[in-house]
Amino acid sequence: MKAIPGPRPDPHPPRAFVPPPNACDAHCHVFGPAHRFPFAADRAYTPPDSGIDDFQRLQERLGLSRAVFVQASCHGTDNSAMVDAIERGAGRYAGVAMIDETFSDDDIARLHDVGVRGTRFNFVAHLGGAPDLDVFWRIVDRVAPLGWHIVLHFDAKDLPSHAELLERMPCPYVIDHMARVPTADGLDQAPFRALLDLLADERCWVKISGAERLTADGPPPYDDVVPFARALIAAAPDRVLWGTDWPHPNVRHMPDDGDLVDLFAAFAPDEATRTQILVANPERLYDFS
């Protein structure tokens, strides 16, 4: 398994705008610390510790106050680090867990009581590909009655082949990282049109995150991602989420999180839309009080 670098230790504060009160980073992770929360034995990569103390310093620097921690594969289905981080937030944090069929109903209920409101499935080929769909549906059917949503990590080119799966979804679902659409292929590419079409369905949400992954250029300013984010916002402004993806596992170029906050100002140029995406939308989906 490969070791990966950690995030930039000293990101700059936002320069383009001041995030509104209760602004939420709706896609981020906590890794370790490994001496308290060991990584999964079958992990594909080993990150350096990037725990809740580091994250809280980041939020203070960026002017954000809420967060949604998304369980990452390096911790597998042991959600302990994420649960600890949520509890440390005292109502400011929520979570998206990874679970399997070893979880009892009581286990899932405990995650719900802590603040977990979704579970995530990976469909990206280089990260292992689609899950066993029989298991997928059994888990979806167990968590949907709790009001949870399903977070789906796709490559955009695979969206059409999963149209039937998405049509069957009994609850809201969230497409991670703009479906990893390749920006070099332009706004008219079929995969991006498919993503826009999905947003006509009230169940579908999308995260305008991962610019450092989507850009064709590598380093910032990630200008080529802006038209894609704006098109998604125009399609469904009340079902768009934004996040940093801190601490940025497996990226080509480690971003400065201050640049990513400034980029969001280009995604959403007006204050009302920024507040909608950073505050109102995550508040609704994650039950922030």
Side-chain angles (χ1 to χ4, degrees):
M1 66 194 71
K2 65 177 180 179
I4 63 171
R8 293 197 179 199
D10 190 30
H12 69 76
R15 298 166 177 147
F17 81 115
V18 176
N22 294 321
C24 181
D25 181 342
H27 189 104
C28 49
H29 312 282
V30 283
F31 296 153
H35 71 275
R36 289 190 61 204
F37 306 110
F39 299 117
D42 61 349
R43 65 194 180 276
Y45 62 90
T46 302
D49 288 341
S50 301
I52 183 61
D53 292 329
D54 300 312
F55 179 76
Q56 288 179 328
R57 285 190 290 271
L58 174 77
Q59 284 231 303
E60 184 175 356
R61 173 64 63 91
L62 299 181
L64 307 173
S65 53
R66 289 174 174 169
V68 179
F69 296 114
V70 178
Q71 178 76 353
S73 62
C74 61
H75 276 297
T77 56
D78 181 353
N79 297 281
S80 301
M82 181 192 69
V83 167
D84 176 72
I86 295 172
E87 290 177 334
R88 293 270 297 273
R92 294 185 295 119
Y93 304 149
V96 172
M98 286 179 62
I99 64 176
D100 58 24
E101 292 194 293
T102 67
F103 282 63
S104 68
D105 290 343
D106 286 344
D107 293 332
I108 296 172
R110 280 192 287 272
L111 289 172
H112 183 84
D113 290 343
V114 167
V116 170
R117 291 297 179 267
T119 187
R120 189 191 199 203
F121 292 92
N122 170 64
F123 287 77
V124 174
H126 77 267
L127 296 176
D132 181 306
L133 291 184
D134 289 334
V135 174
F136 172 87
W137 285 117
R138 286 195 293 268
I139 291 176
V140 169
D141 288 342
R142 290 177 67 194
V143 303
L146 293 172
W148 285 20
H149 59 275
I150 309 301
V151 176
L152 301 167
H153 192 196
F154 281 118
D155 281 317
K157 64 182 177 60
D158 296 326
L159 285 176
S161 64
H162 290 95
E164 183 179 348
L165 177 146
L166 298 174
E167 181 60 32
R168 284 182 57 189
M169 291 296 289
C171 57
Y173 61 90
V174 182
I175 305 293
D176 269 348
H177 304 323
M178 298 186 251
R180 302 172 66 99
V181 62
T183 57
D185 293 345
L187 290 171
D188 288 333
Q189 62 182 286
F192 189 63
R193 291 200 306 270
L195 179 57
L196 289 172
D197 289 345
L198 285 175
L199 285 169
D201 187 331
E202 290 291 327
R203 292 171 296 178
C204 181
W205 293 59
V206 67
K207 291 177 188 169
I208 51 169
S209 54
E212 72 278 15
R213 301 178 187 278
L214 276 60
T215 182
D217 299 329
Y222 316 125
D223 289 342
D224 56 337
V225 183
V226 172
F228 293 85
R230 288 186 176 180
L232 294 168
I233 292 170
D238 60 334
R239 284 177 280 116
V240 171
L241 302 167
W242 170 87
T244 60
D245 196 26
W246 185 91
H248 312 289
N250 299 307
V251 292
R252 293 171 294 160
H253 170 84
M254 186 58 64
D256 185 305
D257 290 280
D259 289 338
L260 297 178
V261 178
D262 287 342
L263 182 67
F264 174 74
F267 290 171
D270 67 275
E271 185 175 346
T273 303
R274 293 172 187 169
T275 301
Q276 173 90 51
I277 295 169
L278 294 178
V279 182
N281 291 352
E283 195 167 85
R284 189 166 88 254
L285 193 61
Y286 289 97
D287 294 335
F288 289 117
S289 58

